[in-house]
Amino acid sequence: MATFVLVHGSCLGGWAWERVAPGLRASGHTVLCPSLAPAGPRVGLRTHIAEIVALIDEHALTDVVLVGHSYGGMVISGAGHERPQRIRRLVYLDAHFPSPGQSAFDLQPALRDACDAAAALRPEREAWLIPPLGFETMGLSAADLEWVTARARPQSRATHEEPLPQPVSGHPPPPATYIRLGGSPLFADAAHTALQRGARLLTVEGAAHLAPISDPERVVAVLGSTS
């Protein structure tokens, strides 16, 4: 059995895994679903990486399957660089697959453009925030869209502007698995990059980007296969 640490995507929280965690626990796995720090003027990618590293250290976790969904791929990459000896595998679930020095905006310039357009409609004092965007295009039912929209919160722009730090541990990185959600076009390039860099590639055919909410049973099954 494995210890799963599930890292959510932009503007979400640990609650985004509420339908996935019980299935993994039913199979005997330990599951932690932290919520990353909410928006703040000093909250950036390094903040979120430090939180996951602190979680691993605080609980003395070893042999961790560290899963990142969407933006969470940036976070697990950084944590994997800092605690590679504690991590069994990095699992990217329809997520960014960055190299050191790349930011989320570097990887998806269209997202930067969308955030710039949204910021232009808000007061200047809120320009450092990324509002929840695009959930209506992510394969949710009407009820789930309402549920997610009610709980989603803005995110600090720095989380997407800060580049992934350079590795400092001197250890080789943990092995990686990339899970492509076949009904989502958002991270097709990331899946291709991951495969080129030697990651194991799995595909959940037809699954939408927010599959942890819309298709949790298949997400549980594919995550279970990575442990």
Side-chain angles (χ1 to χ4, degrees):
M1 296 298 103
T3 296
F4 281 87
V5 177
L6 308 180
V7 181
H8 61 82
S10 297
C11 302
L12 304 178
W15 52 265
W17 301 103
E18 283 183 6
R19 300 175 186 179
V20 171
L24 291 172
R25 291 180 180 128
S27 296
H29 301 297
T30 299
V31 184
L32 300 176
C33 305
S35 288
L36 300 172
R42 297 185 180 181
V43 174
L45 175 60
R46 288 177 181 269
T47 309
H48 290 163
I49 292 170
E51 288 182 311
I52 298 304
V53 171
L55 178 73
I56 291 171
D57 291 348
E58 177 185 352
H59 294 276
L61 301 180
T62 58
D63 213 25
V64 175
V65 178
L66 184 57
V67 180
H69 175 238
S70 197
Y71 161 75
M74 300 294 300
V75 180
I76 69 168
S77 295
H81 289 163
E82 294 202 27
R83 294 294 184 271
Q85 70 276 23
R86 301 280 196 93
I87 296 169
R88 180 194 300 187
R89 181 167 293 274
L90 297 174
V91 178
Y92 296 81
L93 179 63
D94 215 40
H96 292 299
F97 193 85
S99 293
Q102 290 182 313
S103 71
F105 279 162
D106 291 334
L107 295 169
Q108 286 190 331
L111 178 60
R112 186 201 308 268
D113 294 342
C115 291
D116 287 345
L121 301 176
R122 300 194 308 274
E124 184 176 349
R125 63 185 175 83
E126 296 182 348
W128 56 273
L129 290 176
I130 294 174
L133 292 170
F135 293 139
E136 67 278 0
T137 69
M138 297 180 185
L140 296 174
S141 68
D144 284 344
L145 178 60
E146 183 178 358
W147 182 73
V148 170
T149 301
R151 303 187 75 172
R153 296 292 181 267
Q155 184 155 331
S156 297
R157 189 181 173 97
T159 60
H160 285 55
E161 290 179 329
E162 283 185 11
L164 180 68
Q166 296 291 329
V168 295
S169 70
H171 291 269
T177 294
Y178 196 98
I179 301 172
R180 182 178 179 188
L181 300 177
S184 168
L186 297 175
F187 289 95
D189 289 346
H192 180 68
T193 298
L195 184 61
Q196 287 187 317
R197 294 182 189 166
R200 180 189 181 199
L201 179 63
L202 304 174
T203 300
V204 183
E205 296 293 348
H209 181 60
L210 288 182
I213 295 167
S214 61
D215 205 353
E217 294 83 3
R218 288 205 291 167
V219 171
V220 168
V222 72
L223 290 181
S225 74
T226 67
S227 64

